[in-house]
Amino acid sequence: MRQYETGFVLSPALSEEETAQFVQQMAEVVALRKGRLVKQDLWGKRRLAYPIKRFQEGVYVFFTYDGPGDVSGELERRFKQTDAVIRFMTVVKDPRDLGRRKRKKRAEEAAPAAAEPREEKGHAA
C-alpha cells in the first residue's frame, strides 16, 4: 500500500462542531476503504494566500494515510460534492523519503553525545 497526504481547506463559516463532524466523516471514509489513518493534523483557521470563492480565511486540515488508490479518489469525490470544502489536494508520499527520515532520526538520536561542545585548549592572551 502507498502512503498519501491529503490537505483540504474548509469554509470558515462552519462552526467548530460542523468542522469536527466533517473531519470525522472523512476519517471514517479512509477506514471504510481499507485505509489506515497515520496522522490527522488540524491547523485551524488561517488566512489564505489569496481569496478563494470570496473567502479570506479557511480551516486547514491534513490527513496522512496508507491505503489503496481508491481511498484518495473517494475523498476527492466527496470534497467535490461538499460546498464547505474550498480547496483540496492529494499527493503520494515517496517511500524513499520515509526511509530517509527514519535514518536521519536514528542518526540524530545517536549523535547528541557526539555533538556536545568541547572545551578548546588554547593559550589565554
Side-chain angles (χ1 to χ4, degrees), residues 74-87:
E74 179 63 17
L75 283 174
E76 291 180 0
R77 186 184 72 79
R78 291 184 186 222
F79 292 155
K80 289 176 186 174
Q81 292 177 343
T82 307
D83 291 335
V85 178
I86 300 172
R87 283 282 193 272

Side-chain angles (χ1 to χ4, degrees), residues 5-113:
E5 182 175 24
T6 298
F8 53 100
V9 182
L10 298 173
S11 167
L14 295 176
S15 68
E16 287 184 28
E17 294 84 27
E18 291 172 326
T19 301
Q21 181 182 8
F22 183 77
V23 170
Q24 181 61 34
Q25 287 175 355
M26 294 302 108
E28 289 171 2
V29 168
V30 174
L32 289 173
R33 293 290 178 159
K34 307 285 190 276
R36 182 180 64 89
L37 193 62
V38 175
K39 183 177 169 185
Q40 178 179 319
D41 205 7
L42 180 64
W43 284 12
K45 194 179 288 189
R46 303 285 172 118
R47 184 161 176 79
L48 300 172
Y50 53 88
I52 302 173
K53 296 183 183 177
R54 299 190 180 175
F55 290 114
Q56 298 292 326
E57 294 181 326
V59 178
Y60 285 76
V61 182
F62 294 92
F63 284 171
T64 304
Y65 54 93
D66 296 326
D70 66 334
V71 176
S72 62
E74 179 63 17
L75 283 174
E76 291 180 0
R77 186 184 72 79
R78 291 184 186 222
F79 292 155
K80 289 176 186 174
Q81 292 177 343
T82 307
D83 291 335
V85 178
I86 300 172
R87 283 282 193 272
F88 62 88
M89 187 168 105
T90 300
V91 295
V92 179
K93 297 278 217 148
D94 189 355
R96 293 176 293 185
D97 287 342
L98 299 174
R100 288 183 198 133
R101 282 193 196 130
K102 288 178 184 175
R103 284 191 302 269
K104 184 177 179 182
K105 187 175 180 179
R106 274 190 250 130
E108 288 174 353
E109 289 173 354

